[in-house]
Amino acid sequence: MKADVKPPVGQVATGPARHVARGGWYALALIALTNAMSLLDRQILAILAPAIKQDLGIGDAEMGLLFGTVFALFYALFSLPVGRLADGWLRGRLLSLSILFWSAATAMAGMTSSFAMLAASRLCVGIGEAATQPAGTSLIYDYWPRHRRGFVMAVMASAIALGLGGSLVLGGLAAQMWSDAFVPGTAPLGLKGWQFAFLVAAAPGFVLSIFLWRLREPERGVMDGIATPPDPHPFRASLSLLGAVTPGCHWVAMALRRASLRSVAINFAALALILVAGTVLARIGMARSPRPPLGFGAFAIDPHVLQWLVIGIGLLVVVNLLQGVKASDRQAFRVIAGSPTLIMAIAVGTLQSTINYGMMAFNPSFLIRTYHLSLADTALQFGLLSAATGIVGPLIWGPLSDRLHQRFPGGGRAGIALMSMGLSPLLSFWVYWAPSPGDFYLRFVVYSIVLTGWMPPLYAILYDQVLPRMRGLTASLYLLVMTILGMGVGPYVVGLISDITGDLRTAMLSINVVAVPIVVLILLVSRRAARDEANLKARAGIAD
């Protein structure tokens, strides 16, 4: 990983900017649309789950694997090299190439006929979408000044909600219309409704990629008043990072950089701990919810073994990343490891994502099973409602968190996140015990508006803890941990509990137990955020 070594960052030049850079609104619109497309292609699986389960003969636990675990590993792994590439290459072009790749992978899902093929499509979508947040966040922060970033992240969160709601509407209606139009066995190419929905979802990404390719690259660090020298070898550094974190290859990388015996011992100890924990958890799953093995060509593997194998690989990648950064980019390691706020913010986002992804993966299935709604009704009603509340909520909380941050640095933003993440789990019980679909929708409006308050302030806190050149790496680290332990665990656990108990409502509400550590951690963040942000230059070794 020697190629990842960077020269010291320059001195503060003229101070942070106060105005949006030229083209900032246009760039924000494109990056927001990219986030919306990412969530659309990712979440469309949720509305199509009942039809996929019926056609492929799989259960909720296997759907949890598709929704979270299979996607999560490759999304997390490839977010690291593309995040590093985003710190040195043209971010608009990186996003353009990424959306082309994941749109093609989504279209591939429309031609699948087995669990293995659908899993291959999902892992390719994960690889393509890995650049969205690291490159998008890094780019947009070089267009917008610090005091407007709560609003920026609110727009991003609204776009995510638009993609989430759009995935339900587009996926559900496309699948239903196709199924209604053709008698089984007579459709063109033999496509089922859910396969046609994947093809429709893939189409807009090819158009958006053209606009991203032509997006102007802003100068790094100007908005923060911190000069950032160009990266002479971004591709070499990106490939070096991929080799250093990929399990198996990482031992070669450790040998090449002549890692100390202590580092090697720590790596093997972490591997042993991960293997033991994964084996125990897989055995628990196999004992409580036996499932038929999943076929991958000539191979077959138990779903629970696959789940914890993937999670274990992801955790080893986290260990490899931290050891690699410490060895090759000591400034970045000091900045990241030296901020308790950053570490706690990553933990908070990860735990909250466990709740969010666990609930989102099964919301359509819950409505169909509990209230006996049709696929089309669920898609249209819940999809539009989710999109509307998800757009409005962040646009309220993001600007409000900016104002509170100016009056109460650090604590103001954390207070909004605390309200959202502390109150929403309590509201969820009120929502999911609604006696009718109408009552559910009315209660969900309140719940969703409150829930959307966590992301804009937490992300603004997170990225203000590092230097501009480290935002891609920081986003990748956050995505890696959040995806593996949030997206990778949440849907699987909900699906597992559902299979064991036969009660999807109980399974979904059970995941809210992680709200307890969330509240404790965000309280600590509120007390430390301003202090850790103020000593950023000291952690980075930059003189005033």
Side-chain angles (χ1 to χ4, degrees):
M1 285 185 58
K2 292 297 183 183
D4 205 28
V5 178
K6 280 186 169 287
V9 174
Q11 304 297 323
V12 173
T14 58
R18 301 294 299 174
H19 302 288
V20 180
R22 178 175 61 87
W25 286 96
Y26 175 69
L28 180 58
L30 283 186
I31 301 305
L33 284 173
T34 303
N35 277 270
M37 281 302 307
S38 173
L39 263 291
L40 190 152
D41 288 349
R42 183 188 312 175
Q43 299 292 130
I44 195 172
L45 197 66
I47 190 65
L48 303 178
I52 293 173
K53 285 175 57 183
Q54 181 177 354
D55 282 348
L56 301 186
I58 57 178
D60 282 337
E62 287 91 334
M63 285 306 303
L65 280 169
L66 282 177
F67 188 89
T69 314
V70 173
F71 176 94
L73 175 62
F74 289 88
Y75 179 75
L77 175 60
F78 280 86
S79 72
L80 300 174
V82 297
R84 177 62 187 83
L85 189 57
D87 283 337
W89 193 52
L90 302 175
R91 292 162 284 186
R93 296 195 173 184
L94 175 58
L95 287 169
S96 176
L97 295 173
S98 297
I99 198 170
L100 273 175
F101 185 82
W102 93 58
S103 296
T106 301
M108 185 177 81
M111 308 303 292
T112 59
S113 58
S114 68
F115 180 89
M117 292 175 65
L118 189 54
S121 166
R122 299 304 294 172
L123 71 85
C124 288
V125 172
I127 293 171
E129 290 189 13
T132 306
Q133 191 164 321
T137 303
S138 174
L139 188 147
I140 210 64
Y141 269 38
D142 282 326
Y143 274 105
W144 287 74
R146 296 170 71 94
H147 70 285
R148 301 291 303 278
R149 288 174 184 166
F151 168 74
V152 167
M153 299 315 295
V155 173
M156 297 294 194
S158 295
I160 288 172
L162 178 64
L164 173 61
S167 71
L168 301 179
V169 175
L170 180 66
L173 292 183
Q176 189 72 56
M177 290 172 60
W178 186 265
S179 298
D180 292 343
F182 298 100
V183 175
T186 65
L189 303 177
L191 294 178
K192 304 287 181 63
W194 61 269
Q195 293 172 312
F196 176 71
F198 277 118
L199 294 176
V200 173
F206 296 105
V207 178
L208 182 56
S209 67
I210 298 172
F211 291 92
L212 288 166
W213 185 267
R214 298 172 60 86
L215 183 62
R216 181 181 70 86
E217 179 74 13
E219 187 176 348
R220 294 179 194 267
V222 170
M223 284 292 154
D224 296 87
I226 299 177
T228 304
D231 188 337
H233 304 293
F235 286 93
R236 183 191 304 172
S238 177
L239 290 173
S240 176
L241 179 57
L242 178 61
V245 299
T246 302
C249 297
H250 77 284
W251 288 314
V252 177
M254 293 183 79
L256 291 175
R257 69 172 182 255
R258 298 179 181 177
S260 66
L261 288 177
R262 182 173 181 272
S263 295
V264 174
I266 290 174
N267 193 271
F268 276 97
L271 175 59
L273 183 61
I274 290 169
L275 286 173
V276 170
T279 300
V280 171
L281 291 169
R283 288 185 178 276
I284 291 174
M286 293 163 67
R288 299 301 302 273
S289 179
R291 302 294 304 169
L294 299 171
F296 294 90
F299 300 95
I301 185 170
D302 185 276
H304 303 293
V305 173
L306 176 61
Q307 161 70 21
W308 295 111
L309 174 64
V310 170
I311 296 299
I313 292 172
L315 290 175
L316 183 59
V317 170
V318 175
V319 174
N320 295 342
L321 172 65
L322 293 175
Q323 287 191 304
V325 171
K326 183 178 182 180
S328 64
D329 192 345
R330 291 189 175 275
Q331 185 189 50
F333 186 82
R334 287 198 310 269
V335 168
I336 293 170
S339 172
T341 294
L342 177 62
I343 295 169
M344 290 188 292
I346 290 175
V348 166
T350 299
L351 291 171
Q352 184 62 41
S353 295
T354 304
I355 297 176
N356 290 359
Y357 283 109
M359 303 284 274
M360 286 191 303
F362 293 98
N363 270 329
S365 296
F366 171 80
L367 290 171
I368 292 170
R369 294 185 200 179
T370 304
Y371 302 116
H372 309 292
L373 300 176
S374 69
L375 179 65
D377 287 343
T378 302
L380 189 60
Q381 296 167 7
F382 186 65
L384 290 176
L385 184 66
S386 298
T389 55
I391 290 170
V392 171
L395 293 177
I396 295 172
W397 302 120
L400 178 60
S401 73
D402 282 340
R403 292 188 179 184
L404 290 176
H405 176 66
Q406 293 184 46
R407 186 167 182 181
F408 308 104
R413 284 176 174 160
I416 296 293
L418 174 62
M419 177 281 304
S420 171
M421 294 186 282
L423 184 57
S424 57
L426 301 177
L427 289 174
S428 69
F429 286 85
W430 176 57
V431 174
Y432 287 87
W433 279 102
S436 69
D439 289 323
F440 177 91
Y441 291 142
L442 286 173
R443 297 178 185 186
F444 186 83
V445 170
V446 179
Y447 169 72
S448 183
I449 292 292
V450 172
L451 178 62
T452 54
W454 75 273
M455 186 181 292
L458 186 73
Y459 279 30
I461 291 171
L462 183 74
Y463 295 119
D464 280 346
Q465 291 292 321
V466 298
L467 296 176
R469 80 162 182 89
M470 300 171 187
R471 285 184 185 131
L473 175 63
T474 303
S476 296
L477 175 61
Y478 169 70
L479 282 176
L480 176 62
V481 178
M482 180 274 289
T483 304
I484 291 298
L485 295 179
M487 186 190 303
V489 173
Y492 168 78
V493 169
V494 171
L496 178 64
I497 296 174
S498 176
D499 284 341
I500 292 173
T501 64
D503 187 344
L504 184 57
R505 178 191 283 120
T506 297
M508 294 174 72
L509 292 175
S510 296
I511 203 70
N512 285 292
V513 69
V514 301
V516 176
I518 287 174
V519 170
V520 173
L521 288 170
I522 200 65
L523 282 170
L524 295 174
V525 167
S526 69
R527 297 176 61 86
R528 286 207 59 110
R531 187 192 327 169
D532 289 339
E533 184 179 341
N535 71 15
L536 170 59
K537 294 176 203 171
R539 282 184 277 128
I542 299 175
D544 287 323

